[in-house]
Amino acid sequence: MGIKSDTWIAAHALAGMIEPFASDCPKGVVSYGVSSYGYDMRVADEFKVFTNVFNAIVDPKAFTGRSFVDMNGDSCIIPPNSFALARSLEYFRIPRDVLCLVIGKSTYARAGIIVNVTPLEPEWEGFVTIEISNTTPLPVKVYANEGIAQVLFMGADDMCSVSYQDKKGKYQNQTGIWLPRVE
């Protein structure tokens, strides 16, 4: 299993693997777009920020909207020692012979923001739901439409016998921020 290069990522992105695809990035923003061996995806302008206003219990088997507040805008302030969900600006279509890992960017990690490591399985497609943790005792600003995490593309030596699409995965074709599902 080898990691895919910028040339491979760009060619497959232009064929529909990543939409919209950014081949470069302007100065003065948290970087995004294709890099040597990955793609820095952007975070969209919609967020679900966890709150304790209703004293709700966060239960992945019975998740309730009382656990968070919806926010839209050019940025999102994540409270100290708190958590938010967001989604990627890009829509991904992962090839059958590729497994992706989504990992946090060092720019945000240096500010105390951790993005959960998430796999994108063969033939998964959709907007990525992004889990963002603020590990600091201070509020941290996350900028919409700028880089949030890097996607690494790893090519398989052999084709999988069952893809995410084949097994009708519960997070297939995500369109917005999808909450936890237990089926």
Side-chain angles (χ1 to χ4, degrees):
M1 183 174 275
I3 193 156
K4 300 298 190 179
S5 72
D6 51 0
T7 305
W8 184 94
I9 294 166
H12 283 74
L14 294 172
M17 184 177 71
I18 304 170
E19 294 182 65
F21 173 69
S23 58
D24 57 3
C25 175
K27 299 285 185 196
V29 300
V30 179
S31 62
Y32 60 83
V34 71
S35 60
S36 302
Y37 290 98
Y39 184 83
D40 290 1
M41 70 178 180
R42 295 167 281 186
V43 63
D45 63 355
E46 55 190 271
F47 302 87
K48 292 184 181 295
V49 180
F50 280 69
T51 180
N52 196 24
V53 170
F54 301 111
N55 200 27
I57 294 173
V58 178
D59 181 347
K61 291 184 176 184
F63 207 81
T64 172
R66 294 172 50 90
S67 302
F68 55 82
V69 293
D70 291 319
M71 303 187 68
N72 293 80
D74 294 337
S75 65
C76 176
I77 304 297
I78 301 176
N81 304 306
S82 192
F83 183 80
L85 294 173
R87 74 162 177 91
S88 63
L89 183 67
E90 292 86 354
Y91 189 93
F92 290 86
R93 292 176 186 86
I94 308 305
R96 188 177 184 96
D97 62 344
V98 172
L99 173 72
C100 297
L101 283 180
V102 178
I103 59 174
K105 291 181 61 64
S106 63
T107 299
Y108 276 121
R110 293 169 196 219
I113 291 291
I114 304 297
V115 173
N116 186 59
V117 175
T118 301
L120 305 181
E121 294 187 43
E123 290 194 321
W124 174 84
E125 77 170 74
F127 292 99
V128 179
T129 295
I130 306 164
E131 304 86 9
I132 306 167
S133 295
N134 176 1
T135 63
T136 75
L138 304 169
V140 176
K141 183 184 269 190
V142 172
Y143 292 91
N145 304 310
E146 297 186 19
I148 189 69
Q150 185 175 59
V151 182
L152 303 176
F153 298 81
M154 295 170 284
D157 296 333
D158 300 310
M159 193 68 69
C160 63
S161 59
V162 179
S163 72
Y164 198 78
Q165 182 179 45
D166 294 340
K167 66 181 180 181
K168 298 178 178 26
K170 61 187 171 187
Y171 299 118
Q172 185 73 325
N173 301 313
Q174 292 185 138
T175 54
I177 300 171
W178 281 22
L179 301 177
R181 295 178 177 192
V182 177
E183 297 176 347

